[in-house]
């Protein structure tokens, strides 16, 4: 590839010409704010900023809360005590754990009175492979992908303050799902903690509430499940309702759409006495917050009694279902649908506790089949929600894979797991045609092949002899459509077949919705339309449409469409499979979808900002194999985050820069290092050439922004910084 051009330019570069020497800095554990110190900056020209390092093997420790002690990779964390909670203040290192994705607009909103579905993720104590913010090489990690059925996601552990790992927040927010952490107290230690902040005056419990609100606001998740599983003194239980009211009020002010939920445990006398229902003994807590999560050992008579207690707030009662089926429960495991049938019959919301049972207790090699079986049995009781904003772009990546692919080109081989990289997931399941026909369509995750990321969507089906086509709805949307949109689909058909594939959409407001350039297939309330291929793209859109209509590497094909609309609401995205002309026989097909995009044409005309002010700091050296060193360092940069999906981090060099005794740079292009979902990235144990006596070595780091519209940015527009390093004198 050609060398990257200016990323730090003009007055911004001139303002940073001042040189700064690197000084040893000891970063201790704890929530103290410290200024990062980059390596000595030796020149700052328009092409890149260059930092100077003399190799030293003295290791300054990084804050243990924020980094894995073995790899120095950033990790998500929890707080174990009241003292840690009250002492927490935003630290520079906390930036790794801040969610990039805001909560996506959705319909119906969470504030509607439609019964909701809450997923409480409790798995083996929490903070497993999901704690690695920049991903890991986990071979068989847990994956969740039935997001269109979920309204609220709770990350649960038995640590006092459970802050959701940022990968879960990014994945859930992308799908329009609200994310809660957990504040839990248990046993004698929990009782002492509660006495410390609840038995005194209001300043004590308000200080705790203020910290919980600040943590949710800073890390960009949406609220808290409050779980008090120890007895409370009369003084402490008396202050619990005002604590909940204050916490809920402050959270609503600081976190739009925020939620505070109470778990059915303590009653108003202060006893720890699970009720398995909302009743007069615990209603005071329900009245003080946004919702009530019942214990799991209920029967139908509990639900009937709750109707009067809940009143108009029936949707705010989340009836707990333990998927492990512990205790006297109606149904769990693969019979969980029995519990949901009763809950929905009475109009309540549901809280599914530990649906990771399918991963923990069943064979890992059959995980995806078991996952689909579990959620397929619940589907009729789980209404979907709709995404209502553009751009809508997905490669169906699960955030994991056996290899990593970038737009059809294999990039790395080997297992990887990165929750923040999970893309929008479709509706999964098997759909059969009505009547006596034999037509069907089934959708699955596919880790065997990918267009972009680690997986694709596998669609298999049969077009019966009496039908001309079959279609499957993949996404439920509710998007007010701009005057012109572009759509794109990347797919491949397996084996010899003449079946054709096309995107279709449905629109609402059919009476006033004006559509030009596409043909209407039927005249239902929600009209479904086939789309006109985009033949000659406008020149300004060349990056986005560069692959349209081409046969791509790996057998993939990309089709692009242009649609002009006025006064329309985009409701659904379908993929339609049509039999070849003249065929009257049953036609089977296997198709892999690699990507779908729906983009506002106007957004493709706006310029993309450039990555600015890339710095290199927190450098650590270790001896590697003969002639090599292991380099760890942190990159920071500036960028307008609302315009980006993520950043791809690369490096090139690690060889002589032409100075005396140096070697010529290697001709290979940049090496991909990983994905960043923040404006910082930790490079850990990168192998680079050792510098000999009197010799300088140079490595350049490149930051590639990935726009929300999903096209590649030319390398000349990436951010960059170089590290020039030498052996000690």
């Amino acid at each position: 590839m050609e060398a990257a051009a200016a990323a730090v330019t003009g007055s911004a570069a001139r303002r940073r010409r001042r040189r700064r020497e690197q000084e040893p800095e000891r970063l201790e554990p704890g929530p103290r704010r410290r200024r990062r110190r980059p390596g000595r900056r030796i020149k700052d020209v328009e092409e890149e900023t260059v930092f100077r390092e003399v190799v030293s093997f003295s290791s300054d420790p990084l804050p243990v809360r924020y980094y894995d002690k073995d790899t120095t990779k950033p990790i998500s964390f929890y707080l174990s005590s009241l003292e840690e909670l009250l002492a927490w203040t935003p630290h520079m290192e906390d930036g790794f754990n801040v969610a990039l994705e805001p909560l996506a607009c959705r319909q119906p909103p969470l504030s509607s009175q439609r019964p909701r579905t809450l997923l409480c993720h409790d798995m083996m104590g929490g903070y497993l492979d999901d704690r690695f913010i920049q991903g890991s090489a986990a071979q068989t990690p847990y994956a969740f992908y039935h997001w269109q059925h979920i309204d609220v996601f709770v990350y649960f552990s038995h640590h006092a303050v459970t802050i959701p790992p940022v990968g879960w927040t990014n994945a859930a927010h992308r799908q329009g799902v609200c994310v809660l952490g957990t504040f839990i107290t248990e046993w004698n230690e929990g009782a002492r903690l509660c006495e410390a902040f609840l038995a005194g005056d209001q300043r004590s419990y308000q200080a705790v509430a203020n910290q919980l609100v600040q943590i949710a606001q800073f890390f960009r998740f949406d609220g808290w499940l409050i779980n008090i599983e120890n007895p409370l003194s009369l003084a402490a239980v008396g202050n619990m309702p005002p604590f909940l009211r204050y916490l809920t009020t402050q959270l609503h002010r600081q976190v739009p759409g925020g939620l505070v939920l109470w778990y059915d445990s303590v009653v108003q006398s202060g006893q720890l006495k699970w009720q398995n229902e909302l009743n007069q003994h615990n209603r005071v807590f329900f009245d003080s917050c946004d919702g009530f999560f019942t214990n799991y050992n209920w029967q139908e008579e509990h639900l009937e009694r709750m109707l009067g207690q809940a009143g108009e707030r029936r949707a705010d009662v989340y009836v707990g279902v333990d998927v492990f089926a512990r205790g006297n429960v109606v149904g769990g495991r693969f019979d969980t649908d029995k519990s949901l049938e009763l809950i929905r019959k009475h109009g309540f919301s549901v809280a599914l506790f530990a649906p990771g049972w399918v991963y923990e207790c069943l064979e890992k090699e059959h995980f995806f089949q078991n996952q689909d079986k579990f959620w397929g049995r619940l589907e009729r009781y789980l209404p979907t929600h709709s995404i209502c904003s553009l751009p809508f772009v997905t490669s169906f990546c699960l955030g994991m894979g056996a290899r990593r692919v970038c737009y059809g080109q294999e990039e790395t081989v080997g297992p990887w797991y990165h929750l923040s990289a999970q893309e929008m997931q479709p509706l999964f399941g098997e759909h059969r045609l009505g009547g006596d026909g034999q037509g069907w369509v089934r959708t699955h995750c596919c880790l065997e092949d990918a267009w972009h990321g680690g997986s694709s969507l596998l669609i298999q089906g049969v077009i019966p002899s009496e039908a001309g086509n079959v279609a499957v709805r993949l996404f439920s949307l509710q998007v007010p459509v701009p005057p012109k949109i572009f759509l794109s689909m990347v797919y491949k058909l397996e084996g010899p077949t003449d079946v054709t594939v096309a995107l279709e959409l449905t629109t609402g407001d059919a009476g006033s919705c004006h559509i030009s350039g596409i043909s209407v297939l039927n005249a239902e309330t929600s009209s479904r339309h086939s789309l006109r291929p985009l033949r000659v793209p406008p020149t300004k859109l060349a990056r986005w449409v560069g692959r349209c209509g081409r046969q791509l590497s790996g057998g993939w094909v990309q089709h692009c469409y242009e649609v002009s609309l006025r006064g329309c609401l985009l409701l659904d995205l379908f993929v339609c499979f049509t039999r070849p002309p003249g065929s009257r026989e049953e036609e089977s097909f296997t198709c892999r979808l690699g990507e779908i995009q729906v983009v506002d044409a106007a957004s493709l005309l706006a310029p993309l900002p450039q990555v600015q002010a890339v710095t290199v700091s927190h450098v650590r050296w270790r001896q590697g194999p003969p002639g090599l060193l292991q380099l760890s360092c942190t990159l920071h940069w500036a960028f307008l985050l609302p315009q980006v999906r993520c950043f791809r981090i690369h490096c090139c060099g690690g060889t002589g820069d032409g100075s005396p005794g140096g070697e010529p740079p290697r001709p290979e292009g940049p090496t991909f290092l990983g994905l960043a979902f923040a404006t910082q990235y930790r490079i850990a144990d990168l192998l680079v050439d050792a510098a000999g006596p009197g010799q300088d070595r140079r490595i350049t780091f490149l930051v590639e922004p990935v726009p929300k519209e999903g096209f590649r940015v030319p390398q000349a527009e990436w951010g960059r910084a170089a590290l020039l390093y030498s052996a000690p004198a």
Side-chain angles (χ1 to χ4, degrees), residues 252-506:
H252 290 177
R253 287 176 179 169
Q254 302 298 327
V255 180
L259 280 180
V260 176
L261 304 183
W262 172 264
Y263 178 67
D264 166 22
S265 50
V266 170
V267 294
Q268 63 182 3
S269 67
Q271 292 177 283
L272 177 60
K273 197 172 183 180
W274 298 271
Q275 300 294 290
N276 302 298
E277 64 177 318
L278 174 67
N279 59 29
Q280 71 274 17
H281 301 298
N282 52 33
R283 184 186 173 89
V284 64
F285 308 118
F286 175 58
D287 291 338
S288 302
C289 65
D290 295 309
F292 185 89
F293 182 148
T294 78
N295 195 45
Y296 313 105
N297 296 307
W298 50 267
Q299 299 295 319
E300 188 168 13
E301 54 264 32
H302 293 86
L303 304 181
E304 292 168 348
R305 287 197 296 265
M306 283 198 297
L307 292 173
Q309 290 286 341
E312 296 181 355
R313 292 186 63 194
R314 203 179 303 182
D316 294 335
V317 177
Y318 298 81
V319 181
V321 177
D322 181 4
V323 176
F324 278 75
R326 291 164 287 207
N328 182 24
V329 300
V330 172
R333 304 178 184 179
F334 285 125
D335 289 325
T336 298
D337 57 309
K338 294 178 181 178
S339 293
L340 266 69
E341 181 180 12
L342 289 180
I343 294 168
R344 297 308 197 202
K345 172 184 171 182
H346 294 280
F348 291 111
S349 294
V350 63
L352 289 166
F353 184 77
W357 166 79
V358 296
Y359 177 85
E360 289 191 55
C361 296
L362 305 179
E363 293 293 331
K364 301 288 191 295
E365 61 183 297
H366 302 305
F367 166 67
F368 287 98
Q369 297 94 311
N370 290 326
Q371 176 96 315
D372 291 341
K373 176 182 176 181
F374 176 83
W375 290 97
R377 293 175 69 91
L378 306 184
E379 183 178 357
R380 67 181 130 164
Y381 305 114
L382 301 178
T384 61
H385 63 266
S386 304
I387 297 298
C388 55
S389 60
L390 295 180
F392 178 90
V393 178
T394 180
S395 67
F396 305 98
C397 179
L398 291 174
M400 59 183 291
R403 62 190 185 121
R404 194 189 295 271
V405 180
C406 180
Y407 300 111
Q409 301 294 321
E410 187 175 85
E411 202 161 43
T412 60
V413 177
W416 64 276
Y417 175 62
H418 194 164
L419 268 173
S420 288
Q422 186 181 92
E423 298 276 4
M424 289 285 296
Q425 296 299 308
L427 293 165
F428 290 92
E430 182 173 331
H431 312 277
R432 293 193 170 272
L433 297 187
D436 299 327
Q438 300 300 307
W440 56 271
V441 185
R442 184 185 303 126
T443 55
H444 293 289
C445 302
C446 175
L447 290 166
E448 285 72 42
D449 203 355
W451 162 250
H452 189 65
S455 55
S456 56
L457 181 68
L458 180 65
I459 307 178
Q460 297 171 301
V462 168
I463 307 172
S465 56
E466 68 273 14
N469 60 64
V470 295
V472 58
R473 182 174 73 127
L474 296 183
F475 294 99
S476 173
L477 307 173
Q478 201 164 125
V479 180
V481 185
K484 181 178 289 188
I485 58 174
F486 293 112
L487 298 94
S488 164
M489 175 178 63
V490 177
Y491 71 96
K492 68 162 72 171
L493 284 164
E494 300 293 310
T497 179
D498 292 322
V499 170
T500 57
V501 188
L503 267 182
E504 294 186 351
L505 56 85
T506 65

Side-chain angles (χ1 to χ4, degrees), residues 9 44 53 69 93 114 203 212 264 353 383 437 499 524 531 544 556 609 632 635 680 692:
T9 59
D44 196 359
E53 273 280 322
K69 61 184 177 61
E93 316 298 329
R114 186 182 79 170
R203 289 176 298 178
L212 292 174
D264 166 22
F353 184 77
V499 170
E524 301 169 351
L531 308 177
W544 187 81
W556 297 97
S632 298
L635 306 180
Q680 57 195 71

Side-chain angles (χ1 to χ4, degrees), residues 184-195 228 230-232:
I184 185 171
T185 64
E186 301 175 282
W187 312 109
N188 293 334
E189 180 59 33
R192 286 192 292 270
L193 188 154
C194 289
E195 286 298 303
I228 307 299
N230 48 259
L232 297 177

Side-chain angles (χ1 to χ4, degrees), residues 39-312:
R40 191 181 74 147
R41 185 170 293 168
I42 63 170
K43 61 178 178 178
D44 196 359
V45 296
E46 292 194 345
E47 288 77 12
E48 64 186 16
T49 306
V50 180
F51 297 87
R52 159 73 77 177
E53 273 280 322
V54 176
V55 174
S56 170
F57 298 110
S58 60
S59 179
D60 294 330
L62 293 164
V64 295
R65 173 183 289 169
Y66 303 102
Y67 295 95
D68 179 64
K69 61 184 177 61
D70 297 321
T71 66
T72 78
K73 292 181 178 179
I75 54 174
S76 295
F77 67 93
Y78 51 83
L79 303 175
S80 298
S81 66
L82 183 63
E83 291 74 22
E84 286 189 11
L85 171 62
L86 294 174
W88 180 86
T89 57
H91 188 283
M92 179 187 70
E93 316 298 329
D94 283 313
F96 286 110
N97 215 28
V98 174
L100 172 66
E101 291 286 342
L103 181 59
C105 172
R106 49 162 288 168
Q107 288 292 338
L110 204 60
S111 58
S112 76
Q113 288 306 300
R114 186 182 79 170
R116 307 173 196 118
T117 303
L118 179 152
L119 188 158
C120 190
H121 178 70
D122 173 40
M123 181 172 287
M124 297 181 284
Y127 299 96
L128 305 172
D129 293 312
D130 55 4
R131 76 185 187 278
F132 290 99
I133 295 171
Q134 295 175 179
S136 73
Q139 298 203 16
T140 55
Y142 174 69
F144 179 74
Y145 45 89
H146 292 83
W147 289 107
Q148 288 195 56
H149 296 302
I150 304 302
D151 300 296
V152 181
F153 176 89
V154 177
Y155 194 83
F156 183 90
S157 82
H158 291 276
H159 303 289
V161 181
T162 298
I163 300 170
V166 66
W168 283 110
T169 306
N170 280 329
H173 277 184
R174 197 172 286 128
Q175 314 273 346
V177 175
C178 155
V179 177
L180 307 185
T182 304
F183 178 66
I184 185 171
T185 64
E186 301 175 282
W187 312 109
N188 293 334
E189 180 59 33
R192 286 192 292 270
L193 188 154
C194 289
E195 286 298 303
F197 83 94
L198 284 171
D201 61 23
Q202 67 178 18
R203 289 176 298 178
S204 296
Y205 68 72
Q206 287 182 356
V208 169
N210 289 337
Q211 286 294 89
L212 292 174
V213 170
Q214 186 184 14
I215 287 172
Q217 181 186 34
F218 181 85
F219 292 114
R220 298 181 187 168
F221 61 95
D222 307 295
W224 295 97
L225 170 66
I226 307 299
N227 186 3
I228 307 299
E229 300 218 39
N230 48 259
L232 297 177
S233 68
L234 289 177
V237 77
N239 273 332
M240 182 59 78
F243 164 69
L244 289 174
R245 287 193 295 271
Y246 182 80
L247 172 63
T248 303
T249 299
Q250 295 304 312
L251 186 78
H252 290 177
R253 287 176 179 169
Q254 302 298 327
V255 180
L259 280 180
V260 176
L261 304 183
W262 172 264
Y263 178 67
D264 166 22
S265 50
V266 170
V267 294
Q268 63 182 3
S269 67
Q271 292 177 283
L272 177 60
K273 197 172 183 180
W274 298 271
Q275 300 294 290
N276 302 298
E277 64 177 318
L278 174 67
N279 59 29
Q280 71 274 17
H281 301 298
N282 52 33
R283 184 186 173 89
V284 64
F285 308 118
F286 175 58
D287 291 338
S288 302
C289 65
D290 295 309
F292 185 89
F293 182 148
T294 78
N295 195 45
Y296 313 105
N297 296 307
W298 50 267
Q299 299 295 319
E300 188 168 13
E301 54 264 32
H302 293 86
L303 304 181
E304 292 168 348
R305 287 197 296 265
M306 283 198 297
L307 292 173
Q309 290 286 341
E312 296 181 355

